[in-house]
Amino acid sequence: MDHSTPDSAKTTSLAGSIHDRLRTDILTGRLEPGLKLQVKLLTERYDAGQTPLREALNRLSSEGLVESRVQRGFYVKPVHLDELRELTKTRCWLEALALRESIAHATPEWDEELIIAHHRLTRTPRSLDPERFEDNPEWERLHRDFHKVLISRCGSTPLLEFCEQLADRLYRYRMLSIRKVFTTRRVKDEHAEILQLVLDRDSEKATEALTRHYERTADTVLKDLGTPAPREDG
């Protein structure tokens, strides 16, 4: 029996790997907003051929992270303050709905998942360096896990998928201003408040607390990105 993988399958698999690497670099800001994604340079950076690379770029374009401009190529999607506001508002609407439904279908097992996810998050330092901010990827992973568990019992896979896409696009904005967000927030207290309200089955206050949590992040990023950079000539 021939177990070899067809070329098309190999290309798709390679495109998936490149997509994941590109996506991570865009979300974390290593590939800056507005940057022209020159195919020749990307093939060298990611050690990939043009066909799987273009496939990955087209997929990222459909996800709203890359722009395809006619006869000009691909660009990392620029950031816009209006988009940040719209994404935040939409996320608040959808996750409030998902959280209400999750609370309505709460189980002891879900409570345990939440408590464990929160416990792991609180025991993980936000910054790898206690003296200055240095992003901790493990905290980011556990942070995402906690928020995913919060809405995991809503009973709608499409809703959860859309919430995940919104979380990704907003993560990119947050990473652009993470140092300022880190120094101005008591995020640990906000997470604890949301958890307790969920365990108390207080849907109204829990969704309000979750909405405040997201809006505070957006407000800080808006203030940061909306502040002009100081001129070099003073």
Side-chain angles (χ1 to χ4, degrees):
M1 182 180 293
D2 183 8
H3 294 285
S4 63
T5 306
D7 289 344
S8 60
K10 289 181 180 179
T11 299
T12 300
S13 176
L14 184 56
S17 174
I18 298 168
H19 163 272
D20 293 345
R21 293 170 64 192
L22 268 167
R23 180 174 171 274
T24 297
D25 286 347
I26 291 171
L27 291 176
T28 57
R30 285 194 286 270
L31 292 175
E32 297 179 354
L35 177 70
K36 181 176 175 65
L37 297 169
Q38 299 181 30
V39 173
K40 182 179 179 181
L41 293 179
L42 293 180
T43 56
E44 295 174 0
R45 175 169 179 158
Y46 297 101
D47 191 23
Q50 290 194 15
T51 299
L53 180 60
R54 288 186 181 277
E55 186 176 323
L57 289 169
N58 283 320
R59 183 176 165 189
L60 288 164
S61 180
S62 69
E63 294 172 5
L65 294 174
V66 165
E67 286 185 352
S68 177
R69 302 177 187 175
V70 179
Q71 297 184 338
R72 295 180 62 190
F74 293 96
Y75 292 77
V76 176
K77 187 172 182 180
V79 293
H80 299 289
L81 299 187
D82 284 344
E83 181 188 51
L84 171 57
R85 295 185 184 97
E86 290 177 1
L87 289 172
T88 301
K89 181 166 63 175
T90 305
R91 187 184 192 187
C92 289
W93 285 343
L94 295 184
E95 290 208 18
L97 171 62
L99 182 57
R100 285 193 186 93
E101 288 299 306
S102 292
I103 293 173
H105 297 91
T107 64
E109 291 76 20
W110 181 55
D111 289 350
E112 186 176 352
E113 284 181 58
L114 276 171
I115 292 169
I116 291 172
H118 180 258
H119 177 70
R120 288 172 176 164
L121 179 59
T122 57
R123 290 180 61 85
T124 304
R126 180 64 189 88
S127 173
L128 292 173
D129 188 330
E131 302 299 325
R132 60 181 181 82
F133 180 76
E134 183 180 340
D135 189 43
N136 184 353
E138 180 64 6
W139 187 93
E140 288 290 351
R141 184 184 70 79
L142 294 172
H143 180 238
R144 180 66 69 92
D145 285 349
F146 174 68
H147 279 281
K148 286 171 69 173
V149 175
L150 274 175
I151 60 175
S152 62
R153 298 303 173 100
C154 71
S156 171
T157 299
L159 177 56
L160 291 174
E161 289 175 348
F162 195 27
C163 287
E164 183 78 1
Q165 291 175 24
L166 289 168
D168 280 342
R169 293 176 68 179
L170 283 162
Y171 171 75
R172 186 167 75 114
Y173 279 92
R174 185 163 61 83
M175 290 304 292
L176 293 172
S177 302
I178 191 63
R179 283 169 177 77
K180 191 162 289 188
V181 173
F182 175 70
T183 58
T184 59
R185 297 282 296 284
R186 295 183 63 84
V187 176
K188 185 179 290 188
D189 293 344
E190 294 173 26
H191 289 148
E193 179 190 17
I194 294 168
L195 173 65
Q196 190 56 56
L197 290 168
V198 169
L199 295 177
D200 292 342
R201 307 291 187 252
D202 193 330
S203 296
E204 194 64 33
K205 289 185 178 178
T207 54
E208 288 175 359
L210 183 63
T211 296
R212 282 196 305 272
H213 179 64
Y214 291 144
E215 287 178 342
R216 283 170 179 159
T217 298
D219 287 344
T220 304
V221 177
L222 283 165
K223 288 176 184 176
D224 185 30
L225 297 183
T227 302
R231 292 178 52 174
E232 292 184 4
D233 59 6

